[in-house]
Amino acid sequence: MRRLVILAVMLAPVLFLAGAALATTLHARADNEVVRYEVNPDLTYVETSESDTTVFTQRGIDMYGRRARTFYPDKQSLEVLEAWVDQPDGSRLEVPESSRFSRASAASQSAPGFVGSFTTTIVFPQLREGSHTHVKFRLNQKTPPLNGFNAFNMSSYETEAVEDRVEIKIP
């Protein structure tokens, strides 16, 4: 019994330090994630999504240095309404057109003729620790979805969120 007590006393500082080393580091924070749907009587809709993220570490920069949205051009249109980076010194960098591009998505490349999706990607310029990214997309669903209107929102479990909201305006 005495040996167990001595062992516990000796291991306590080691376990404390190990616990401190395992403390979670906040790499990024979702400051504002808002998705707004305006649904029409025929179940077509316009979705406007706005995302603001602050990156705190290099891993946060790697995770959120770009934003991508997939869409189906035969049924949908997608446009980038706004995209910029606010730097820690207060300066703002607009994302240039050369850092906004659309291409056939990976699924379309793997299964041409079966999947016709495209992906629009925004690459944020000159990110550094403390940078704040902003992007706003508008998706127009031009034909009614096969299974009707369905709003799906899944938050990231990798970052803490200040605001994560879905608004739906229905007829």
Side-chain angles (χ1 to χ4, degrees):
M1 178 71 165
R2 186 175 177 161
R3 287 184 186 179
L4 287 176
V5 171
I6 293 171
L7 183 61
V9 170
M10 290 173 44
L11 286 177
V14 173
L15 293 174
F16 175 77
L17 292 174
L22 294 174
T24 304
T25 299
L26 183 63
H27 299 288
R29 180 185 62 228
D31 299 311
N32 184 41
E33 298 285 334
V34 178
V35 181
R36 294 178 180 91
Y37 293 95
E38 291 185 37
V39 182
N40 300 312
D42 66 354
L43 300 183
T44 59
Y45 60 88
V46 175
E47 171 195 326
T48 306
S49 61
E50 188 171 354
S51 177
D52 294 282
T53 304
T54 302
V55 294
F56 298 113
T57 64
Q58 184 58 49
R59 181 172 178 197
I61 293 169
D62 295 342
M63 291 167 52
Y64 293 98
R66 64 182 64 218
R67 284 295 174 105
R69 285 292 310 264
T70 298
F71 67 102
Y72 296 85
D74 58 330
K75 301 173 192 79
Q76 301 169 323
S77 63
L78 180 71
E79 60 185 310
V80 178
L81 300 177
E82 304 168 345
W84 66 72
V85 174
D86 288 331
Q87 297 293 15
D89 65 5
S91 62
R92 176 169 287 179
L93 302 170
E94 295 288 333
V95 176
E97 288 298 322
S98 61
S99 294
R100 305 173 183 199
F101 52 95
S102 294
R103 67 197 180 293
S105 62
S108 293
Q109 294 171 11
S110 299
F114 294 97
V115 180
S117 61
F118 272 66
T119 300
T120 295
T121 303
I122 303 297
V123 179
F124 294 107
Q126 301 179 31
L127 286 183
R128 57 182 181 253
E129 293 177 3
S131 293
H132 177 89
T133 65
H134 172 84
V135 65
K136 189 174 187 179
F137 291 102
R138 179 184 302 141
L139 176 85
N140 184 6
Q141 179 70 40
K142 300 182 285 187
T143 61
L146 185 61
N147 296 323
F149 173 76
N150 184 6
F152 178 79
N153 181 41
M154 184 170 181
S155 299
S156 169
Y157 295 111
E158 298 172 332
T159 60
E160 99 179 6
V162 176
E163 180 175 11
D164 190 349
R165 180 175 39 144
V166 175
E167 299 174 3
I168 303 172
K169 182 179 174 184
I170 58 174

